[in-house]
Amino acid sequence: MRPLAPLAPLLAPLLAPLLACDAPAEAPRAQVLVRADASPLAAAVTTDLGYEVRLTRAQLALRDLSFTVAGELHARGGGWGLLGAAWAHPGHYEGGEVTGALVGRILLDLPADEGRALGEATLLSGAYTAVNFIFEPLDPDAPEGAAPALLLEGAAAREGREVRFEVSVTAPAGRVLVGAPFEASVTAASARAMEARLRIELSNPLAAGCLFDGLDFFALDAAWDGAEDGAARLDASSPRALTDEPYLALRRALLSHSFYRVTWAPRAPLE
Amino acid sequence: MLRFVFKTLSFALSAAQRLSAAVGARALPAPLALLCAGGCGDEGGRGTLAVSVYGEPFIEEGIPASAVDDGWSVRFSSFRVELRAVEVGGARLLVGRDLELAAPSGGEGVAAGSLALPSGAHPALAYELGALRVAGEARHEGRGEVRRFDWLLDVPTRYERCALGLSLGSGEEARAELTIHADHLLYDSLVAEEPGLLFGPLAAADADGDGEVTRAELEAASVGALDVGSGGEVGDLWAWLRAHARTVGHLNGEGHCDARALDAEGGAP
């Protein structure tokens, strides 16, 4: 059982109306179904180096999906709020006030999980702009920060040649992903007709570029695992993962908000 | 843990000064209040807030290897901060000069000036820093390596909503210390709540091996495995260093402020 104390800031906006004895009215809230969305994996993307890349599997473990409305979040001692102020560029979402949550661990295994209900989030009614979450190890028994939180498998093709790839990535313990886009006007009524769909994007939905830009897969075929055999593999535990810049660039992209998104779509019937 | 112990000791060394600032004029009312007895107050009651800038032992004495996670130690031959202004309520102290923080100050820091304030409660303080000029050398005793550096980090930043918590009586003088945390320049993450301290990535940027880590070398070096956070815009070590340089400002030791970039890079006016 995970202690709830660390979630207090996240849950406070939701619980406050219940705790305030003389609250004039309870804030309107909505129960939002959250589903896995594998649709970005259905199509290949073309990288800046001309590779056509298709993902055959993407695994991601996370916890405590939180939903934010537009607002200001301030830096404390060099936290990410400052980076929001200092490095944000138009079209990206930073910070915001948390007014919704789906608490608990989520393991996404795409495309196998396509359409799977991940849970029901509680959101205050409002105009939402972004979601946050915390990366978790894929292996629930592994220590945070030391075990992969993401696993990607796929293939990259160019000039009639194909390289299959398999790569895993760790996230620092407790690492929060802040500001993945989620644009929705949520009310109790809209939540009955709509649902939130969590997806990994292969192309940045807000700017030019794709997740695999800069990766020369033909070169990585030999470099990552020492064998030019049409397969490039790099595990997060490999010493090479500490220094290999193409791998580290991919890791930085996977730890950024540029390649995650929650869409607001008409609700599909529950199976 | 060692870093924590060191920082705790550092904190204790200047505890008296911090305490006096934290409680405002009440810690040092008599002599200073006497100086103002004839004219500092007015009928509505006024007091004075003396402002200093302090780099703590990390800047004046250096950051020891025991506080750094990869065996490097850092000494600053110069650590100059451009203090532009200090604000409390509607009162603004224009400073507009560079202050050298690397010289030993006995825990007093460098005086920046004073603000005349109406007596009463002053909950918050804001200040603006311009460029930081940071020069010195880092050593790794175990490997016998030395790196020199001399960096001009032009990162105009406003530190605001710093919790001052001052209750100023008429004729009293209080102190506020703008505390500069040099160890932030060695943080291994832009987002972690408890980041580690590393100099190794900066040392490794010395591409020509001449022992000096330059801006050009840092611009050419990737941030590698360092955690740049969810934004992902920081790609090279110079940008990395600039981002950390925007977080060094604090108040009265460990008091936090909201930091806002004042230049185009930050998108602020």
Side-chain angles (χ1 to χ4, degrees):
Chain A
M1 186 68 178
R2 194 177 297 280
L4 288 177
L7 298 174
L10 188 151
L11 295 172
L14 304 176
L15 297 178
L18 302 177
L19 300 176
C21 299
D22 56 352
E26 186 173 310
R29 65 191 59 211
Q31 297 301 119
V32 173
L33 178 65
V34 182
R35 284 187 195 270
D37 180 359
S39 58
L41 277 64
V45 292
T46 303
T47 74
D48 59 343
L49 299 181
Y51 289 96
E52 192 169 89
V53 181
R54 185 180 301 274
L55 271 189
T56 54
R57 189 181 193 193
Q59 283 188 302
L60 164 67
L62 61 97
R63 72 171 187 266
D64 301 343
L65 188 65
S66 58
F67 299 76
T68 64
V69 295
E72 194 175 4
L73 193 102
H74 299 284
R76 288 290 174 188
W80 47 266
L82 172 71
L83 272 297
W87 295 97
H89 52 76
H92 276 208
Y93 301 85
E94 295 280 358
E97 183 183 357
V98 174
T99 54
L102 172 56
V103 177
R105 175 181 165 87
I106 293 173
L107 176 62
L108 278 181
D109 189 354
L110 304 174
D113 281 344
E114 164 62 16
R116 182 169 69 87
L118 304 175
E120 199 165 66
T122 301
L123 279 68
L124 299 185
S125 294
Y128 284 81
T129 58
V131 297
N132 309 331
F133 60 77
I134 303 171
F135 289 101
E136 283 243 307
L138 291 168
D139 176 355
D141 298 323
E144 282 194 50
L150 292 128
L151 173 70
L152 301 182
E153 296 175 10
R158 192 178 73 182
E159 300 156 4
R161 179 181 165 195
E162 182 178 277
V163 173
R164 287 169 286 114
F165 63 88
E166 182 179 327
V167 59
S168 62
V169 163
T170 59
R175 171 67 147 76
V176 183
L177 187 293
V178 177
F182 171 55
E183 292 184 319
S185 179
V186 176
T187 64
S190 70
R192 284 191 288 273
M194 306 288 281
E195 64 187 20
R197 295 181 182 170
L198 173 62
R199 57 203 283 179
I200 299 172
E201 297 279 7
L202 306 191
S203 296
N204 186 337
L206 300 173
C210 91
L211 181 58
F212 305 101
D213 277 353
L215 297 186
D216 185 347
F217 287 94
F218 292 165
L220 297 178
D221 181 5
W224 272 4
D225 53 19
E228 192 168 357
D229 55 359
R233 299 180 190 85
L234 190 56
D235 186 83
S237 63
S238 164
R240 189 179 184 92
L242 298 174
T243 58
D244 186 273
E245 181 51 29
Y247 169 83
L248 292 171
L250 176 62
R251 179 177 184 264
R252 290 195 296 274
L254 286 166
L255 298 182
S256 82
H257 56 201
S258 296
F259 298 100
Y260 301 93
R261 189 176 200 177
V262 175
T263 59
W264 189 233
R267 190 163 183 165
L270 280 171
E271 294 174 2
Chain B
M1 178 57 80
L2 285 173
R3 177 155 50 92
F4 173 76
V5 171
F6 184 88
K7 292 198 75 171
T8 303
L9 290 172
S10 302
F11 187 85
L13 284 174
S14 56
Q17 182 185 8
R18 292 196 177 105
L19 180 62
S20 65
V23 301
R26 303 194 191 293
L28 18 111
L32 296 174
L34 282 172
L35 290 174
C36 292
C40 293
D42 56 25
E43 288 188 2
R46 296 183 74 78
T48 304
L49 181 67
V51 179
S52 63
V53 186
Y54 181 43
E56 302 185 305
F58 274 177
I59 290 180
E60 295 186 357
E61 300 167 17
I63 305 175
S66 59
V68 183
D69 295 306
D70 60 0
W72 288 85
S73 62
V74 178
R75 291 185 68 87
F76 299 101
S77 57
S78 179
F79 199 114
R80 299 177 70 87
V81 299
E82 177 194 3
L83 177 60
R84 294 180 171 178
V86 182
E87 295 173 10
V88 176
R92 183 174 172 89
L93 170 65
L94 287 172
V95 182
R97 59 191 167 95
D98 288 351
L99 303 174
E100 175 59 74
L101 304 184
S105 70
E108 292 296 314
V110 179
S114 297
L115 273 168
L117 300 173
S119 57
H122 298 280
L125 176 149
Y127 63 102
E128 294 177 9
L129 297 182
L132 310 182
R133 183 70 178 261
V134 183
E137 68 175 32
R139 289 181 174 273
H140 194 295
E141 296 296 343
R143 296 204 293 260
E145 294 183 32
V146 179
R147 296 288 189 279
R148 299 179 308 282
F149 54 86
D150 186 350
W151 301 320
L152 178 63
L153 298 157
D154 190 9
V155 284
T157 304
R158 178 178 172 84
Y159 296 91
E160 56 195 6
R161 285 179 257 201
C162 313
L164 180 61
L166 172 63
S167 178
L168 187 63
S170 179
E172 291 183 335
E173 176 164 323
R175 290 179 179 175
E177 174 197 291
L178 315 182
T179 315
I180 306 301
H181 289 185
D183 58 329
H184 287 212
L185 299 178
L186 306 189
Y187 274 1
D188 66 355
S189 170
L190 283 173
V191 290
E193 288 289 327
E194 296 289 338
L197 297 189
L198 301 175
F199 189 83
L202 301 174
D206 180 23
D208 63 6
D210 68 350
E212 179 165 9
V213 181
T214 66
R215 170 179 174 168
E217 288 171 327
L218 292 168
E219 287 175 334
S222 168
V223 292
L226 299 169
D227 188 1
V228 299
S230 300
E233 286 91 349
V234 176
D236 65 74
L237 286 177
W238 182 250
W240 169 264
L241 208 51
R242 286 173 57 84
H244 281 305
R246 293 187 191 278
T247 74
V248 298
H250 294 67
L251 179 65
N252 294 331
E254 300 295 326
H256 289 292
C257 310
D258 296 336
R260 180 165 61 85
L262 293 173
D263 52 356
E265 185 177 75

